[in-house]
Amino acid sequence: MRLRVILLILLFISNVFASDFDIKNLTQQEIETLKEIKKQGQQHGLSYSLMAIAIKESGLGKVMINMDSKDFGIYQANIKTVISRQNVKDTSWNRNMFATKLISDFQFATKNAIDELVYWQKIHKNDWSKVWSSYNGGWKYNSKEAREYSQEIAAIIRELRKIDV
């Protein structure tokens, strides 16, 4: 019960939507977050993808909960996918525990996003437009919504490359 109260409080506090994110007016904290994401992604060549996804999905942590889609954390990982990847039983206890971990544990959330991108990277043989589409739409990567998402990630990456992060 306590966990649900915390999640609901976070949901109500998070009233700034990622789509309102302005890359030209980054705060010092947002710059530091981007630097940390970039550092974490370098080993896998995923720095810019991770940074763009964090911007698109959560406004760099401003919106950490989407109860409609059951996505959580800075990269808005889908809880069913996370449960499956963790190889644990899909129970409400495990859903709550991993949702909380995605929200509160940057390292865990980042590792999960890297695992997801690496998975789709293998499936799509490094076709990044499909990788980003699948990050959003899974096997429905050819849907209009997933293709638009991929285009938005590509546009964010182009903007990120213009600034010194």
Side-chain angles (χ1 to χ4, degrees), residues 16 23 31 34 41 47 52 57 59 73 75 96 104 109 118 147 153 162:
V16 178
I23 201 165
I31 291 168
L34 284 172
S47 295
E57 293 287 352
Y75 309 101
N96 287 335
S104 63
V118 167
R147 284 182 285 129
I153 294 299
K162 294 178 186 176

Side-chain angles (χ1 to χ4, degrees), residues 20-81:
D20 294 335
F21 190 86
D22 184 3
I23 201 165
K24 293 176 181 78
N25 294 313
L26 295 169
T27 67
Q28 190 58 43
Q29 182 177 346
E30 290 167 338
I31 291 168
E32 293 305 315
T33 300
L34 284 172
K35 286 180 180 179
E36 186 59 29
I37 292 170
K38 186 175 187 179
K39 178 179 158 190
Q40 297 292 320
Q42 282 176 336
Q43 178 182 353
H44 301 279
L46 296 173
S47 295
Y48 282 95
S49 291
L50 288 170
M51 290 188 294
I53 289 168
I55 289 169
K56 171 73 178 150
E57 293 287 352
S58 71
L60 284 177
K62 290 184 178 103
V63 180
M64 301 281 269
I65 300 169
N66 183 332
M67 292 304 286
D68 293 334
S69 62
K70 307 291 188 258
D71 298 334
F72 300 92
I74 192 166
Y75 309 101
Q76 290 291 291
N78 184 270
I79 198 63
K80 286 178 89 173
T81 303

